[in-house]
């Protein structure tokens, strides 16, 4: 089920939007201003954000720019909601990185159609990104295949998922808790050393293929793959 964040300070409109999107099987969380969504983004990345650009407490344009300047969140599709109807304003938002602009007032059927359209594009892009060639590494998510300079790297299911997650977030330090949530699931209550054991196995198998020291340990923080 796709997760959508709805940032709108008009309580009635926000609840109407949430209700409409839930009827077509989206999971939706509502926020009245940015501070609460910023905290939520630390632990959970949505599939799409609906962002009112004229919030009482903050300028939505600043929020949009912050999202698009953040390495972790910049690829989240954003649909801007605005009362401004001029072409210049719409172009401004699109140039700042918004994926679509909806002008108030709008109907819920239009909202659903716009959300569906943006998510279709996002799915296509995500599918294309699942084929990665980088620094001698070839990774095909759909075939679950990894090679380093034509040497096969045979990872088990969780090792593959964890390595793919690190590669997709290369340059970022990923804490163990986020790795567990992504690979083992939010209901996992086992030993967190499972991450260390999994990383150790991946390193060993990459080393056997000739790809050494690609995964770095960041003390008391987590792991990362260096951008080179």
């Amino acid at each position: 089920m796709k997760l959508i964040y709805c940032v709108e300070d008009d309580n009635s409109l926000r609840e109407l939007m949430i209700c409409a999107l839930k009827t077509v099987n989206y999971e939706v969380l509502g926020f009245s201003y940015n501070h609460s969504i910023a905290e939520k983004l630390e632990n959970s990345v949505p599939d799409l954000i609906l962002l009112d650009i004229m919030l009482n407490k903050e300028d939505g344009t600043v929020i949009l720019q912050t999202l698009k300047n953040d390495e972790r969140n910049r690829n989240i599709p954003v649909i801007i909601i605005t009362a401004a109807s001029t072409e210049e304003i719409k172009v401004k938002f699109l140039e700042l990185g918004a994926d679509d602009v909806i002008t108030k007032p709008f109907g819920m059927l239009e909202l659903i159609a716009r959300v569906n359209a943006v998510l279709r594009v996002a799915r296509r892009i995500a599918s294309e990104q699942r084929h990665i060639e980088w620094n001698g590494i070839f990774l095909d998510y759909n075939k679950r295949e990894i090679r380093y300079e034509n040497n096969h790297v045979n990872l088990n299911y969780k090792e593959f998922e964890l390595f793919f997650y690190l590669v997709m977030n290369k340059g970022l330090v990923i804490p163990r808790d986020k790795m567990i949530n992504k690979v083992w699931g939010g209901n996992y209550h086992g030993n967190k050393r499972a991450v260390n054991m999994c990383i150790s196995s991946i390193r060993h198998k990459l080393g056997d293929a000739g790809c050494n020291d690609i995964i770095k340990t960041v003390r008391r923080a987590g792991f990362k793959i260096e951008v080179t």
Side-chain angles (χ1 to χ4, degrees):
M1 184 179 292
K2 296 294 185 182
L3 174 61
I4 297 173
Y5 287 177
C6 179
V7 188
E8 168 61 64
D9 59 2
D10 183 324
N11 293 336
S12 297
L13 178 57
R14 185 176 67 251
E15 290 306 314
L16 182 60
M17 293 165 64
I18 290 173
C19 183
L21 290 166
K22 283 185 174 180
T23 64
V24 288
N25 296 320
Y26 288 117
E27 180 182 356
V28 191
L29 296 180
F31 305 87
S32 57
Y33 60 99
N34 182 50
H35 179 67
S36 52
I37 188 179
E39 292 178 347
K40 193 67 177 177
L41 282 167
E42 288 296 317
N43 299 307
S44 177
V45 176
D47 296 285
L48 183 142
I49 296 175
L50 293 164
L51 176 61
D52 180 8
I53 213 68
M54 292 299 291
L55 300 170
N56 286 332
K57 296 186 178 182
E58 291 185 79
D59 180 355
T61 304
V62 175
I63 300 172
L64 176 61
Q65 290 175 313
T66 300
L67 284 168
K68 294 305 176 181
N69 288 330
D70 187 309
E71 181 74 27
R72 182 168 181 259
N73 298 318
R74 65 175 52 169
N75 292 323
I76 302 173
V78 178
I79 298 178
I80 294 296
I81 301 168
T82 177
S85 59
T86 66
E87 182 179 8
E88 290 79 9
I89 293 295
K90 292 180 181 179
V91 169
K92 173 188 174 183
F93 295 144
L94 293 171
E95 288 180 341
L96 287 173
D99 295 84
D100 197 2
V101 180
I102 301 178
T103 303
K104 296 179 182 179
F106 55 87
M108 293 303 105
L109 290 178
E110 178 186 358
L111 172 68
I112 291 169
R114 298 283 192 110
V115 167
N116 288 343
V118 169
L119 285 174
R120 277 197 300 271
V121 173
R123 281 194 295 271
R124 176 178 57 77
I125 293 172
S127 177
E128 292 171 354
Q129 289 177 335
R130 291 189 168 205
H131 182 151
I132 300 168
E133 293 186 52
W134 168 73
N135 278 13
I137 294 173
F138 171 87
L139 192 155
D140 188 322
Y141 186 88
N142 295 326
K143 293 182 178 179
R144 305 193 72 80
E145 179 182 0
I146 299 174
R147 296 196 306 271
Y148 178 70
E149 295 183 349
N150 293 320
N151 296 313
H152 284 274
V153 182
N154 296 311
L155 303 184
N156 66 31
Y157 181 84
K158 282 189 167 53
E159 290 167 354
F160 186 95
E161 290 291 316
L162 185 54
F163 184 63
F164 180 77
Y165 183 46
L166 285 168
V167 171
M168 291 299 290
N169 292 277
K170 56 184 178 291
L172 301 179
V173 178
I174 309 298
R176 288 173 178 80
D177 287 346
K178 290 185 179 178
M179 291 182 180
I180 287 174
N181 185 62
K182 179 69 177 179
V183 177
W184 281 264
N187 295 322
Y188 177 79
H189 299 293
N191 194 330
K192 291 185 179 180
R193 287 189 58 80
V195 172
N196 294 39
M197 294 169 64
C198 196
I199 291 289
S200 178
S201 180
I202 294 169
R203 282 171 169 162
H204 177 74
K205 292 176 180 180
L206 288 170
D208 286 346
C211 182
N212 297 304
D213 300 325
I214 186 173
I215 302 175
K216 306 296 182 183
T217 300
V218 182
R219 190 177 180 186
R220 296 181 180 177
F223 299 93
K224 75 172 181 176
I225 290 180
E226 297 280 9
V227 176
T228 57

